[in-house]
């Protein structure tokens, strides 16, 4: 055959194949849609070979001993910092030679001082972080070389590296001054907020994967709940009147929709919470004291379209996952019109969102499985770090004699040794 | 920052006092109880005391914290927007406060601080939106069925024996509505005892679209339960013959008119290959206490203490059929109903027909691929075997497929509720012409004993019921036609001779 015939027939066949493959997937056995992120299908990128990470060997008082003192840290929603450390220790991106490393990781479990009821206390965290940085800057030359610009830290607490659970106090403190140049991997994300600095990588909170898998129900159970939510509307112990908690948004949801048959909302703690989510079409994810919540992860895993009510929130891996196409965003001022907004979504759009949610790479990107699997949240963090490479020589590496970090900035109480 | 004023005295004013939000951040001095109770020393304190009292009284009248709005409007300097939505409970919508710890970074719309709780003027569901939401739910479920449900649904052939009696409308309507909900193609074979009648025909016409085959059998339905069970089996065989003659293709279900079917059952039977068996819950009607029922479930030791006996396939741990759960008749020996409409427990047969489903091709004549463990209809009827249990259709009962998670899931309930065979009811349940009898409605819950054919309960409840309905309509227009009462002897309701 003549070459041009061969080429044109090949083109024709490939066009046909791509045409069929690009269809809405109803004819495939598992109808899902490929998620094309802003930079292409970055969810499926493999970070191995694209970056090298050096893990500092900190004394065990910064990590192992803290965990031994309170093993509850492995199950709460801030457990990402611990699992990230475990993952990096045995990952192929780890290098034992710091000279060839692109990124440096400091394993300090700052979110592991827990109260009796299991909530983390952030009061010692700044001191611990500062002490860790003092250690690495004195023992290794790499911190001083860049003043932390090629170091990354995992800070999954409520307001990230501001290390406080109350927003006003967190804003007052701001991000720990020593971390000014470092890359922060955190769950908190809100635009134009003091506690989110540019270049941070936003991750989902840790959700117990095994527990969620155990509660999966058969997918032919019809989804009969329109909107589902379980959680507090008024935080009686801290804000009984309402108005502070969740910026009044949760209270507004309750007051407007408590008698609406389409909204299955209450403050109960049912044992069938995960099963109920799999029977619901929309799951509300309103802000609480902080804008992020594990409900987003749960909604994605169980195929329930997340309805995000948090102004200016930055969602996990926002540069890889097109959240607008997957979830529904409702401004806090539009909460009284929530039923109108949700019913005005056309069924085709709803089905499309469900197909996007059913995509296994989407679900995988939200989880921290043990052991790590390709495409999971660990790999997305590494992808995010890899995308920031190569380091800008001028900005990252300091000229000799140039110092920008103020080692004595911040509240006096933080300067005490840990 | 919230400052809490510790109340000095425990009277009603301190509560309001301590809650006054000093994040109003201006020079508002909050009067304490002490100031209120002590002798006012200066005009300023008099003024503040007066203002505080006025606000308290105002709050009591209006029912919300009126003082906050007043103070805020009077003293606060920076306001973003005031939207005056007032809820009649204590939620006042306040404009977003710019407190001392203001965080308005340029470009950010989000501020920290106390926000109002937005409530729309009428916070109740809108019916049009509820309908739209149900349409969305419907579409989602349809998509789910397409993806995860049955790939190639086969049509369902329901065989129902029926006959005209008081409760026929009740039972048949229930069955009809269940069948109308099915997403599968349906053929409904209705076999009627006593021949095809107009009553049943009218009832069946209400389905509109159902593909109904209405046939009759000449025998009249006997009055005893024993005979009724036998005739029902004969009618089912007549239905099977109909399937055979017309070569209907699908899954045959024996849908008795007084049974209750769940929709999941019809989804489950799509899995049947040739001959399947389901678990049937037996709701044995009883006039006795529940203790009788509980004693009747002896054959299900592994099912635990549930009060409803279940008939159906029994499996071992490797999901293979090993036997049958049947109904234990012994507790009811001697106390069961003999005649239809008796006030006693109606017992099912050992294995009810309704718990079995079969592929319609099994009854076709000359079907080449029929499995050899199936008996031919002609052969069964020739021997007169059909009055045994339904397993008579197969030679080897080990080929029966247990459905519903090996019989663990009950999706079908057997029930027999009938009025007495000589009870009367208005034809088509239409009272035409309307009643003219005016009877004082009975206020006593117990029946009044009257002589006559009908049982006391039936007559009094019927007559008082109708009398009540009559009253609602109004007496005036009817009393004029009192003279025509006696002429309308064709009313199918037997009236209480005590009526006036």
């Amino acid at each position: 055959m003549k070459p041009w015939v061969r080429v044109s027939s090949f083109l024709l066949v490939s066009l046909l194949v791509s045409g069929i493959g690009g269809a809405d997937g109803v004819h495939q056995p598992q109808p899902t849609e490929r998620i094309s992120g802003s930079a292409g299908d970055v969810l499926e990128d493999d970070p191995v070979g694209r970056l090298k990470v050096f893990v500092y060997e900190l004394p065990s008082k910064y990590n192992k001993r803290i965990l031994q003192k309170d093993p509850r840290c492995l199950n709460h929603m801030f457990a990402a910092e611990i699992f990230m450390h475990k993952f990096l220790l045995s990952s192929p991106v780890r290098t034992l030679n710091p000279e060839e490393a692109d990124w440096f990781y400091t394993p300090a479990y700052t979110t592991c001082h827990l109260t009796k009821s299991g909530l983390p206390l952030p009061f010692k965290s700044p001191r611990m972080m500062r002490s860790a940085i003092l250690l690495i800057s004195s023992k290794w030359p790499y911190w001083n070389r860049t003043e932390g610009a090629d170091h990354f830290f995992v800070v999954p607490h409520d307001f990230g590296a501001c290390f406080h659970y109350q927003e006003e106090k967190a804003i007052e403190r701001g991000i720990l001054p020593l971390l000014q140049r470092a890359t922060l991997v955190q769950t908190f994300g809100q635009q134009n907020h003091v506690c989110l600095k540019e270049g941070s990588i936003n991750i989902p909170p840790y959700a117990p994967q095994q527990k969620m898998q155990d509660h999966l129900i058969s997918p032919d159970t019809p989804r009969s709940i329109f909107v589902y939510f379980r959680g507090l509307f008024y935080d009686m112990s801290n804000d009984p009147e309402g108005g502070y908690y969740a910026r009044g948004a949760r209270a507004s949801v309750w007051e407007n929709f408590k008698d609406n048959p389409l909204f299955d909302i209450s403050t109960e703690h049912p044992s069938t919470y995960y099963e109920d989510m799999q029977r619901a079409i929309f799951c509300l994810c309103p802000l609480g004291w902080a804008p992020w919540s594990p409900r987003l992860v749960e909604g994605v895993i169980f195929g329930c379209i997340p309805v995000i009510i948090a102004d200016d929130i930055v969602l996990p891996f926002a540069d890889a996952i097109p959240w607008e196409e997957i979830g529904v965003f409702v401004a806090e001022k539009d909460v009284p019109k929530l039923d109108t907004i949700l019913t005005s979504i056309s069924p085709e759009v709803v089905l499309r969102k469900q197909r996007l949610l059913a995509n296994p790479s989407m679900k995988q990107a939200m989880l921290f499985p043990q052991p790590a699997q390709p495409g999971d949240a660990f790999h997305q963090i590494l992808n995010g770090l890899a995308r920031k490479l190569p380091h800008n020589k001028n900005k990252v590496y300091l000229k000799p004699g140039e110092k920008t970090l103020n080692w004595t900035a911040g509240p006096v109480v933080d300067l005490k040794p840990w | 920052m919230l400052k809490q004023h510790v109340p000095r005295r425990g009277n009603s004013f301190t509560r309001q006092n301590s809650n006054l939000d000093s994040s109003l951040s201006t020079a508002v001095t909050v009067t304490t109880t002490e100031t209120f109770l002590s002798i006012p020393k200066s005009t300023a304190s008099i003024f503040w005391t007066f203002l505080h009292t006025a606000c308290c009284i105002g709050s009591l009248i209006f029912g919300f914290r009126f003082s906050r709005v007043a103070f805020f409007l009077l003293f606060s300097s920076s306001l973003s927007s005031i939207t005056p939505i007032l809820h009649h409970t204590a939620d006042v919508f306040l404009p977003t406060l710019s407190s001392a710890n203001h965080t308005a970074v340029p470009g950010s719309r989000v501020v920290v601080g106390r926000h109002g709780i937005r409530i729309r003027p009428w916070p109740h569901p809108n019916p049009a939106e509820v309908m739209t939401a149900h349409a969305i739910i419907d579409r989602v479920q349809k998509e789910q069925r397409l993806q995860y449900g049955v790939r190639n649904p086969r049509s369902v052939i329901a065989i129902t024996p029926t006959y005209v009696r008081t409760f026929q409308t009740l039972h048949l309507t229930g069955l009809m509505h269940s069948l109308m909900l099915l997403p599968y193609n349906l053929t409904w074979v209705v076999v009627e005892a006593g021949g095809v009648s107009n009553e049943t025909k009218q009832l069946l016409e209400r389905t509109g679209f159902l593909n109904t085959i209405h046939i009759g059998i000449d025998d009249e339905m006997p009055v005893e339960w024993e005979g009724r069970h036998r005739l029902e089996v004969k009618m089912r065989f007549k239905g099977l013959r109909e399937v055979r003659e017309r070569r209907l293709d699908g899954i045959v279900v024996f849908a008795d008119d007084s049974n209750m079917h769940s929709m999941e059952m019809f989804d489950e039977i799509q899995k049947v290959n040739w001959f399947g068996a389901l678990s049937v819950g037996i709701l044995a009607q009883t006039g006795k206490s529940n203790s009788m029922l509980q004693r009747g479930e002896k054959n299900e030791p592994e099912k635990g203490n549930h009060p409803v006996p279940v008939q159906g396939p029994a499996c071992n741990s490797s999901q293979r059929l090993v036997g049958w759960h049947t109904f234990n008749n012994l507790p009811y020996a001697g106390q069961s109903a003999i005649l239809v409409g008796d006030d006693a427990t109606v017992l099912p047969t050992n294995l009810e027909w309704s718990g079995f489903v079969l592929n319609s091709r099994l009854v076709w004549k000359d079907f080449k691929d029929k499995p050899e463990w199936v008996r031919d209809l002609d052969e069964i009827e020739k021997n007169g075997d059909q009055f045994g249990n339904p397993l008579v259709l197969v030679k080897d009962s080990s080929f029966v497929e247990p459905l519903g998670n090996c019989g663990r899931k009950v999706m079908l309930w057997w029930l027999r509720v009938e009025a007495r065979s000589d009870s009367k009811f208005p034809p088509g349940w239409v009272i035409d012409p309307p009643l003219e009898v005016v009877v004082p409605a009975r206020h006593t819950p117990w029946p009044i004993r009257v002589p006559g054919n009908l049982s006391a309960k039936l007559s009094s409840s019927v007559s008082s019921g109708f009398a009540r309905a009559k009253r609602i309509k109004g007496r005036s227009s009817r009393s004029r036609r009192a003279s025509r009462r006696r002429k309308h002897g064709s009313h199918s309701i037997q009236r209480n001779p005590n009526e006036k």
Side-chain angles (χ1 to χ4, degrees), chain B residues 88-107:
Chain B
H88 63 274
T89 60
D91 296 319
V92 179
F93 181 86
L94 294 175
T96 58
L97 297 180
S98 34
S99 59
N101 307 333
H102 191 90
T103 60
V105 178

Side-chain angles (χ1 to χ4, degrees), chain A residues 31 167-168 171 190 192 219-224 226 234 239 241-244 247-248 251-252 255-257 259-262 281 311-312 332-333 336-337 339-340 342-343 345 347 350-351 354, chain B residues 1-2 19 65 68 87 91 99 101 103 105-120 123-126 129-130 132-134 136-137 139-141 143-144 147-149 151:
Chain A
E167 192 166 358
E168 287 155 331
I171 292 170
Q190 191 176 306
N192 296 324
D220 61 353
T221 318
R223 285 189 188 264
S224 46
F226 193 61
Y234 292 92
D239 177 33
E241 258 179 45
Y244 256 111
R247 293 197 278 268
S252 177
E255 298 298 340
N256 281 303
F257 302 112
D259 63 349
N260 195 320
L262 300 172
I281 299 183
D311 286 344
D312 288 348
E332 285 164 35
K333 64 172 170 53
K337 295 189 277 187
D339 55 350
T340 316
L342 290 179
T343 51
I345 303 177
V350 171
L351 289 175
Q354 289 190 321
Chain B
M1 298 262 248
L2 274 178
N19 283 335
R65 217 166 296 122
R68 282 175 141 219
H87 200 244
D91 296 319
S99 59
N101 307 333
T103 60
V105 178
S108 164
R109 308 174 284 145
V110 181
V111 289
V112 188
R114 181 172 295 281
H115 290 59
I117 301 169
R118 291 177 170 85
I119 303 170
R120 62 189 192 200
H124 298 294
N126 177 343
E129 279 167 18
V130 175
T132 324
H134 280 288
I136 297 177
I137 296 175
R139 182 72 190 83
V140 167
Q141 290 186 356
E143 188 69 25
Q144 277 185 287
Q147 292 168 20
Y148 304 108
R151 285 286 150 196

Side-chain angles (χ1 to χ4, degrees), chain A residues 14 32 65-66 83 86 88 93 95 108 165 171 200 230 248 256 269 291 308 330 339 344 358 372 384 399 404 413 415:
Chain A
S14 59
T32 62
R65 251 194 267 156
I66 297 183
F83 290 119
K86 290 207 164 113
L88 283 173
V93 304
T95 168
Y165 49 81
I171 292 170
S200 297
R230 289 290 182 271
N256 281 303
H269 281 208
I308 296 147
V330 176
D339 55 350
S344 63
K399 308 198 182 28
T404 47
V413 67
L415 299 174

Side-chain angles (χ1 to χ4, degrees), chain B residues 437-442 463-464 467-468 470-471 498-500:
Chain B
V437 174
V438 176
V439 175
R442 297 196 192 284
S463 53
S464 58
R468 242 174 266 132
K470 178 78 186 73
R471 277 250 162 126
N498 279 357
E499 286 168 18
K500 296 196 184 61

